[in-house]
Amino acid sequence: MTKITPDVVDHVTKLCRIHLTNEERKKFTEQLNQILTYMDKLNELNTENVEPTSHVVPLENVLRKDALSPSLGSEKALANAPDKHGEYFKVPRIINGTE
Amino acid sequence: MELNELTAHEIRNLLESGKTSSEEVTRAVFAKIDREDGQIGAYITLCKEWAFDRAKTVDRKRKDGQAMPPLAGIPIAIKDNICTRDIRTTCSSKILENFFPPYQATVVEKILASDMVPIGKTNMDEFAMGSSTETSFFGVTHNPWNLEMIPGGSSGGSAASVANDEAIVSLGSDTGGSIRQPAGMCGVVGLKPTYGKVSRFGLIAFASSLDQIGPLTGDVEDSALLLDAICGHDARDSTSVDVPANHAKALSGSISKNIIGIPDEYFVGGLETEVETAVREAIKVLEGLGAKLQRVSLPHTDYAIATYYIIATAEASSNLARYDGVKYGYRHKAEKGLSLSEMYGKTRSEGFGVEVKRRIGLGTYTLSAGYYDAYYLKAQRVRTLIRNDFEKAFGKCDCIIAPTSPTAAFRIGEKIDNPLQMYLSDIFTIPANLAGIPAISIPCGLTRDGLPIGLQIMGKAFDETTILQTAYAYEQAADWRTITPDGNKL
């Protein structure tokens, strides 16, 4: 039933921000097809009246007291940043245009 | 016998009677690592200085006559997806190669509060995605029983470190069998607790509805002791549940009134004859101890792998979206004029390994518009059927016994180019994660080639006590503990 074309692979990798080489793209198409074909096995089961399980522990919303507690602080929070400027994470330009 | 070859509870006796010190035990562990880890590759990062500091502090406390927790002074290895403050935590990925967490995982806080001695961070499949510890950015881990074999995965380093006496106990994580399968293949004890039993705060997320931290140890008593040390409610993990922690004390309870379920669907084609024989022998031993056997059926077992790889990859694709090269982790060394979006793409393409990319892609596809119902929602419904199977079966028995894996350890490289074949090796461990129930793997024999075979015992949610008692009773009767990889390796 499922057939993944290289175009679908391109769409998916664009969604998840991963670039593939041509060889990887070919291999992925083949492997994803194989895996998804295997997953079609689930269609043998009638699940019309079955509730989905998103979590195994039956929990309602878990709330905590709205109270102040210590947090990391900007120095520690920035310590692992690949690039920073003062107290900010630095990223490439987002909006096109001149300086 | 060297100190590092003993179990934690044996060392505890020596420490309490003043016959050794934590410093001496720690020294024995590092001596073994120095001699052999070059060939095993169990560790990514060692924290030697910190370990000796702590060992000495614990020894001093003990000398001062302070009351010590049961595992005080015991060296422990930690899987490298568990955050250790200011100690590199890589998840075996290039994308986290230089990540130094600014906080401590709850389990790490707990083992420190138990006065344990962290030795280092163990190798694993990248982001815990794998069954062989071959997908690590830092190289493969070798099985101590035969260096040409995989140690299992994804907690392969944690299992190998204990099996090779390079740690006394270790922590792993189990999303689809990542504690039990390597424990089985390395001949140690591995316990996946009930979902919610141990806080996941500080465990780098793979599939949040399935992940659970647990102990890998030399025997069942150590497993119970370490579970007692790490379990309990944590306000920082809203799925964690408060339950009493006294598993070690309850170990020796009689199993003569227990009913053990034997599931038809776990003794089928694909199960290696030697594995089946060893597991059936183990069942006879338990029957000899007075346990009653009961045939049970888990009819949806055959659908577990498809269900799991839809749910786990979907959750992974979402969890791993955070690796974008902005706040921490690897970033593509920018060429001038690169846009933000291009930077994301290059960072992720260069930072993730091939299996991680495959799973992110798979998860992104099954969650994408038009496919969500057909895959993700369908899998969640089948997950309910699998849970119901267990609920029904546990109406007739107290625990369920099965093989941990269909085969013993396979050869390094054997399945790495065939992802589906690799996924299928998790067939017997995945159902417990989908159902959220606890399960333990203990050694139950060796193949003709001298590789360990794992016996799996699954229990009702939050009833670790029954599976630990059953495992303990079997271990005492069969005593595979006396067999170690020493002598047939290196």
Side-chain angles (χ1 to χ4, degrees):
Chain A
M1 179 191 112
T2 323
K3 282 291 162 264
I4 302 246
T5 60
D7 286 350
V8 176
V9 170
D10 289 344
H11 175 64
V12 166
T13 51
K14 194 180 154 208
L15 286 176
C16 62
R17 299 283 192 274
I18 285 174
H19 304 311
L20 298 178
T21 64
N22 274 335
E23 199 187 321
E24 280 177 327
R25 179 167 170 259
K26 205 173 137 226
K27 215 171 174 184
F28 265 52
T29 310
E30 201 179 293
Q31 288 170 335
L32 292 188
N33 263 318
Q34 194 192 2
I35 295 164
L36 286 165
T37 304
Y38 176 78
M39 286 168 173
D40 283 342
K41 189 182 179 65
L42 297 189
N43 294 327
E44 294 167 12
L45 297 170
N46 180 354
T47 53
E48 216 171 300
N49 297 312
V50 182
E51 284 293 312
T53 293
S54 57
H55 242 269
V56 287
V57 183
L59 287 171
E60 292 292 317
N61 288 340
V62 178
L63 303 174
R64 61 166 173 79
K65 272 201 187 122
D66 186 17
L68 286 176
S69 60
S71 58
L72 273 186
S74 53
E75 197 185 318
K76 278 189 177 165
L78 284 160
N80 281 285
D83 199 3
K84 60 194 164 196
H85 179 79
E87 290 205 315
Y88 300 95
F89 295 105
K90 196 174 168 188
V91 296
R93 172 184 298 278
I94 296 170
I95 300 160
N96 285 323
T98 49
E99 294 284 333
Chain B
M1 218 178 196
E2 304 285 336
L3 285 167
N4 57 308
E5 295 169 16
L6 302 174
T7 61
H9 60 90
E10 286 165 347
I11 293 170
R12 177 192 181 185
N13 290 337
L14 297 179
L15 290 170
E16 286 180 350
S17 57
K19 290 195 181 101
T20 189
S21 66
S22 176
E23 190 184 348
E24 281 181 65
V25 178
T26 306
R27 196 174 297 126
V29 165
F30 275 106
K32 180 80 169 178
I33 293 172
D34 289 345
R35 278 200 308 275
E36 292 180 10
D37 202 51
Q39 282 155 287
I40 301 288
Y43 287 94
I44 294 174
T45 305
L46 293 168
C47 36
K48 200 168 184 173
E49 210 175 306
W50 190 37
F52 278 104
D53 260 11
R54 286 193 54 88
K56 285 176 199 165
T57 307
V58 174
D59 285 338
R60 235 181 349 257
K61 270 172 139 177
R62 197 186 296 276
K63 234 183 200 161
D64 291 347
Q66 292 188 35
M68 306 298 280
L71 292 173
I74 303 295
I76 181 169
I78 302 166
K79 188 175 180 178
D80 210 22
N81 59 352
I82 297 173
C83 286
T84 40
R85 187 170 56 227
D86 299 330
I87 291 172
R88 190 167 76 128
T89 300
T90 70
C91 252
S92 282
S93 181
K94 180 181 176 183
I95 215 157
L96 288 176
E97 187 181 1
N98 294 306
F99 177 57
F100 289 78
Y103 63 92
Q104 212 79 283
T106 298
V107 288
V108 175
E109 281 182 352
K110 282 181 173 264
I111 60 171
L112 295 178
S114 300
D115 283 324
M116 298 188 77
V117 177
I119 294 294
K121 306 298 293 288
T122 55
N123 200 20
M124 53 187 275
D125 281 294
E126 186 181 4
F127 281 98
M129 296 177 188
S131 313
S132 65
T133 316
E134 291 171 285
T135 67
S136 168
F137 176 66
F138 301 94
V140 302
T141 298
H142 298 261
N143 191 316
W145 293 79
N146 180 335
L147 295 177
E148 288 167 19
M149 302 293 173
I150 57 127
S154 66
S155 310
S158 292
S161 67
V162 174
N164 203 43
D165 304 316
E166 297 177 36
I168 307 303
V169 297
S170 68
L171 288 178
S173 68
D174 192 314
T175 305
S178 282
I179 289 174
R180 290 160 287 153
Q181 186 253 25
M185 290 184 173
C186 287
V188 299
V189 174
L191 170 67
K192 182 201 91 73
T194 308
Y195 185 84
K197 183 113 179 178
V198 177
S199 168
R200 291 177 293 113
F201 179 78
L203 171 68
I204 296 175
F206 160 17
S208 308
S209 79
L210 301 159
D211 297 339
Q212 188 63 195
I213 297 171
L216 291 109
T217 58
D219 71 2
V220 177
E221 187 171 346
D222 280 5
S223 187
L225 285 166
L226 188 49
L227 178 64
D228 283 345
I230 61 171
C231 72
H233 174 70
D234 173 18
R236 296 172 297 186
D237 174 1
S238 59
T239 61
S240 66
V241 176
D242 207 15
V243 280
N246 43 19
H247 305 93
K249 287 214 173 78
L251 268 188
S252 53
S254 161
I255 63 155
S256 68
K257 287 200 178 72
N258 284 9
I259 301 170
I260 293 174
I262 316 290
D264 290 342
E265 294 80 3
Y266 282 63
F267 294 88
V268 289
L271 176 60
E272 234 169 47
T273 319
E274 284 183 287
V275 175
E276 174 163 6
T277 308
V279 171
R280 293 214 185 266
E281 281 300 316
I283 292 169
K284 269 189 216 153
V285 170
L286 286 163
E287 199 180 13
L289 294 169
K292 314 266 176 306
L293 305 184
Q294 169 72 49
R295 250 178 97 174
V296 294
S297 178
L298 300 164
H300 295 94
T301 302
D302 210 20
Y303 301 94
I305 290 180
T307 305
Y308 172 85
Y309 277 96
I310 291 170
I311 292 173
T313 56
E315 292 183 8
S317 74
S318 168
N319 274 324
L320 271 63
R322 72 190 64 171
Y323 301 101
D324 58 3
V326 174
K327 298 191 182 70
Y328 49 84
Y330 172 83
R331 177 189 289 191
H332 168 76
K333 299 285 167 288
E335 306 138 29
K336 267 258 185 259
L338 211 61
S339 74
L340 182 65
S341 170
E342 284 164 339
M343 186 279 280
Y344 289 157
K346 293 207 171 195
T347 293
R348 291 165 63 79
S349 308
E350 292 162 11
F352 290 134
V354 63
E355 177 62 19
V356 174
K357 288 184 205 174
R358 190 153 47 223
R359 294 205 195 185
I360 290 174
L362 195 56
T364 304
Y365 175 78
T366 58
L367 287 179
S368 64
Y371 297 102
Y372 180 89
D373 285 6
Y375 289 102
Y376 190 63
L377 197 61
K378 180 80 186 181
Q380 286 191 316
R381 292 186 201 277
V382 180
R383 186 175 183 182
T384 304
L385 296 176
I386 290 166
R387 287 177 67 193
N388 293 348
D389 282 357
F390 278 101
E391 207 155 291
K392 235 183 254 170
F394 283 127
K396 292 203 271 186
C397 61
D398 301 298
C399 63
I400 293 174
I401 287 202
T404 303
S405 305
T407 68
F410 44 90
R411 217 159 266 286
I412 290 172
E414 191 179 321
K415 298 187 181 177
I416 196 69
D417 289 324
N418 191 336
L420 190 57
Q421 275 307 312
M422 188 74 92
Y423 298 172
L424 293 174
S425 67
D426 299 333
I427 173 88
F428 298 145
T429 47
I430 278 173
N433 297 81
L434 291 170
I437 59 173
I440 193 169
S441 176
I442 55 170
C444 73
L446 292 175
T447 63
R448 274 186 301 272
D449 295 334
L451 293 169
I453 298 169
L455 173 77
Q456 185 178 205
I457 309 172
M458 293 175 268
K460 298 173 187 172
F462 297 105
D463 186 18
E464 276 78 2
T465 300
T466 298
I467 60 172
L468 283 163
Q469 280 175 348
T470 309
Y472 186 74
Y474 171 74
E475 182 186 73
Q476 298 299 310
D479 210 10
W480 290 104
R481 286 171 307 164
T482 50
I483 299 171
T484 67
D486 280 307
N488 80 12
K489 65 155 205 300
L490 301 181

